[in-house]
């Protein structure tokens, strides 16, 4: 490190639920160790003139460490997701030379990532699609960085087509939310009741309601800090003026406004919080008195959800899809729903819309009414 070797540290995430994770970590550590020893043997000058050795692992490391790489500009949580995918690629194919890779190899990698560990389980298409998307990203960066072979590989990926994961169709609807809120309050989890109600009624993302815990870099002068982490982006009482919530969303930066006087049930739940506690984060874990971590919030949501019979396929994050679908089913203007949800494009809002019987019924009634109108004006019946 004193001689200038970088990176000084590499964050490696561990998931105790994955039996093979320790082997993956060991494989990655061996690659990192060998890279460091190679650098030490060749000297910094040689390493700087030959920063890439032609392997997939070396391209990944360049992507993660190059100051000109787009990797440096992504948010920490997105970077964590990227790291998980490149770790899989590096562990599986890191030693493969770029000049040896062709479409047959990429197709085989896709099929391997798609195959479930248990033959009785469904294919992991979402994982496989994430792998090929990351390959496109890596090769695209390689083109910009003038890494040999990447232009050829980027052209291959531009023409290649892979099956995409099915869009989620699950949603939390009003009946789910009503039952969940009642059970959460009865279980002494007003935080879960309030958080879920706000998500569903205002269409705010889970992260914009409960926030997220980041590594404390010392830049936040005020706020919640605990054990080297700082809480960020969640909903606070300072976001409420009178009965109006104003919140800058964490994903798009768009400011959304919601008047709680239009949502009397949610306002009533908010009023259950003692007056002397109405400062700082709104949704606090009753056990710790601190904002929830994402995993703990999801864990307790599932505990309460199972009590009221919600299927495991319905997630807390599906509150947003349920809210958008309910609004469109009710006849709300798509542009109004887009603004309420804090989207910047209508296509994003439409992606949250879960097809429902109400829409099909409304279309059928309009068609029949139009047909009758045509028939009454003397036009022949198409039947």
């Amino acid at each position: 490190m004193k001689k200038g070797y970088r990176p000084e540290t590499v964050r490696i995430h561990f998931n105790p639920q994955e039996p093979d994770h320790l082997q993956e970590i060991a494989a990655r550590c061996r690659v990192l160790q060998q890279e460091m020893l190679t650098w030490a043997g060749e000297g910094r000058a040689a390493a700087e003139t030959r920063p890439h050795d032609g392997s997939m692992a070396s391209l990944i490391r360049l992507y993660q460490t190059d100051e000109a790489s787009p990797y440096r500009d992504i948010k920490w949580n997105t970077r964590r997701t990227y790291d998980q995918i490149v770790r899989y690629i590096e562990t599986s194919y890191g030693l493969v030379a770029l000049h040896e890779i062709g479409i047959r190899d990429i197709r085989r990698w896709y099929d391997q990532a798609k195959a479930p560990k248990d033959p009785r389980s469904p294919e992991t298409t979402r994982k496989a699609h994430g792998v090929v998307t990351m390959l496109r990203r890596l090769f695209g960066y390689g083109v910009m960085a003038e890494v040999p072979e990447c232009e050829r590989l980027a052209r291959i990926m531009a023409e290649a087509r892979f099956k995409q994961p099915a869009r989620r169709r699950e949603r939390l609807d009003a009946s789910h939310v009503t039952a969940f809120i009642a059970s959460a309050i009865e279980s002494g989890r007003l935080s879960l009741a309030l958080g879920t109600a706000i998500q569903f009624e205002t269409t705010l993302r889970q992260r914009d309601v409960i926030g997220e815990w980041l590594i404390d870099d010392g830049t936040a002068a005020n706020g919640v800090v605990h054990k080297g982490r700082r809480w960020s982006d969640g909903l606070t009482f300072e976001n409420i003026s009178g009965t109006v919530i104003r919140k800058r969303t964490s994903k798009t930066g768009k400011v959304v406004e919601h008047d709680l006087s239009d949502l009397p049930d949610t306002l009533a739940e908010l009023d259950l919080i003692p007056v002397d506690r109405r400062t700082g984060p709104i949704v606090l874990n009753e056990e710790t008195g601190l904002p929830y971590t994402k995993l703990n919030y999801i864990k307790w949501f599932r505990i309460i959800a199972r009590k009221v019979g919600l299927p495991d396929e319905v997630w807390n994050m599906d509150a947003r899809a349920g809210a958008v679908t309910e609004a469109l089913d009710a006849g709300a203007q798509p542009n109004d729903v887009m603004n309420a949800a804090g989207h910047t494009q209508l296509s994003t809002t439409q992606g949250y819309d879960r097809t429902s019987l109400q829409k099909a019924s409304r279309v059928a009634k309009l068609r029949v009414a139009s047909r009758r109108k045509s028939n009454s004006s003397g036009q022949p019946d198409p039947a």
Side-chain angles (χ1 to χ4, degrees), residues 14-278:
F14 172 60
N15 184 354
Q17 305 303 320
E18 295 185 14
D20 299 332
H21 212 161
L22 285 174
Q23 288 83 351
E24 292 179 11
I25 289 175
R28 181 150 189 220
C29 287
R30 285 193 293 270
V31 171
L32 291 168
Q33 180 77 354
Q34 186 57 50
E35 287 179 357
M36 182 182 68
L37 294 175
T38 300
W39 185 94
E42 295 180 348
R44 181 170 60 182
E48 288 178 347
T49 57
R50 191 172 62 82
H52 178 68
D53 65 8
S55 69
M56 176 65 75
S58 185
L59 175 62
I60 290 172
R61 192 68 58 246
L62 200 61
Y63 170 72
Q64 292 177 315
T65 59
D66 184 2
E67 292 184 359
S69 172
Y71 177 83
R72 296 175 62 88
D73 298 327
I74 59 178
K75 290 189 64 175
W76 75 274
N77 52 338
T78 303
R79 185 178 296 183
R80 180 178 60 188
T81 302
Y82 283 16
D83 287 347
Q84 291 171 350
I85 301 173
V86 297
R87 181 183 65 223
Y88 170 83
I89 295 173
E90 184 176 332
T91 302
S92 303
Y93 323 112
L95 299 181
V96 178
L98 296 180
H99 73 268
E100 296 177 347
I101 300 173
I103 185 58
R104 291 178 180 83
D105 302 289
I106 296 170
R107 177 64 64 178
R108 185 176 69 256
W109 297 349
Y110 171 83
D111 291 339
Q112 289 172 348
K114 186 176 65 172
K117 293 181 180 179
D118 185 343
R120 296 168 296 180
S121 302
E123 292 182 334
T124 54
T125 308
R126 190 172 299 278
K127 173 184 176 182
H129 190 260
V131 169
V132 296
T133 300
M134 181 55 67
L135 289 174
R136 294 184 200 275
R137 191 173 288 119
L138 289 168
F139 298 148
Y141 159 73
V143 172
M144 294 187 294
E146 300 180 289
V147 175
E149 297 295 329
C150 282
E151 186 172 357
R152 175 183 66 86
L153 292 168
R155 287 201 304 270
I156 291 175
M157 296 303 293
E159 298 298 327
R161 297 293 180 268
F162 301 89
K163 180 181 178 182
Q164 296 194 17
R167 180 180 293 174
R168 281 187 60 77
R169 306 313 313 165
E170 290 75 19
R171 61 184 171 117
L172 270 176
D173 61 30
S175 62
H176 291 153
V177 173
T178 299
F180 179 90
I181 287 173
S183 181
I185 293 175
E186 182 182 348
S187 302
R189 288 278 171 178
L190 174 61
S191 57
L192 282 167
L194 185 56
T196 303
I198 292 174
Q199 286 176 248
F200 182 72
E201 298 291 9
T202 67
T203 71
L204 282 169
R205 293 178 181 85
Q206 180 192 87
R207 185 170 68 217
D208 288 321
V209 174
I210 70 169
E212 58 185 347
W213 286 95
L214 311 176
I215 295 175
D216 182 22
D217 56 7
T219 59
N222 300 307
V224 180
V225 178
H226 181 69
K227 293 185 177 179
R229 298 269 174 171
R230 62 180 176 86
W231 181 78
S232 175
D233 288 335
L235 195 63
T236 70
F237 281 97
E238 288 70 30
N239 291 124
I240 302 177
S241 177
T243 60
V244 176
I245 291 178
R246 290 184 179 86
K247 178 74 167 65
R248 184 178 298 278
T249 59
S250 57
K251 186 170 184 179
T252 65
K254 186 175 181 179
V255 176
V256 296
E257 297 181 333
H258 297 275
D259 192 340
L260 293 175
S261 65
D262 298 326
L263 307 168
D265 291 341
T266 303
L267 189 59
E269 288 148 19
L270 195 61
D271 285 341
L272 293 176
I273 296 179
V275 175
D276 60 357
R277 221 281 283 158
R278 297 184 191 180

